Amino acid sequence: RPVATFLSGGLDSSYIAAVTAEYLPSAEAFTTYLASSRWMDEREYSREVAVKGSIRLHEVDGESSWYLSRYWLPDRRIDQPRVPGPGPSLLAVAAAARAAGT
């Protein structure tokens, strides 16, 4: 199966995406953003990493699943105290990756 990484634009995910692309040139990356929130949008950084590493980048609007979104409704699968705040958004990115065949 194809390999993909989550890419937030931060140092950790950028490093992982870059190393993955070095060893697997066909690797892809997925980043999420909120259309309604400027402070939850790291696409600029993710795009820079993708361009430098020749990584195919998928941008996923997490508006309908983000826990701070005005559209978010609790989901039994993630309505637990141990689930990190961005858990719902990660589910949206994972669904997009699955749909892309990665």
Side-chain angles (χ1 to χ4, degrees), residues 75-100:
D75 185 315
R76 289 183 189 149
R77 294 173 294 169
I78 56 176
D79 192 18
Q80 302 173 30
R82 292 187 179 172
V83 174
S89 181
L90 293 177
L91 289 176
V93 173
R98 183 176 52 246

Side-chain angles (χ1 to χ4, degrees), residues 49-71:
V49 172
V51 167
K52 297 255 187 212
S54 298
I55 301 167
R56 182 174 175 215
L57 182 63
H58 302 268
E59 298 177 356
V60 179
D61 183 355
E63 186 69 39
S64 65
S65 64
W66 190 259
Y67 76 112
L68 292 177
S69 167
R70 58 193 160 108
Y71 300 112

Side-chain angles (χ1 to χ4, degrees), residues 23-36:
Y23 289 98
L24 301 168
S26 63
E28 301 177 28
F30 288 80
T31 189
T32 188
Y33 67 95
L34 293 182
S36 67

Side-chain angles (χ1 to χ4, degrees), residues 5-21:
T5 61
F6 292 133
L7 178 57
S8 69
L11 294 177
D12 297 342
S13 65
S14 295
Y15 177 77
I16 291 168
V19 170
T20 301

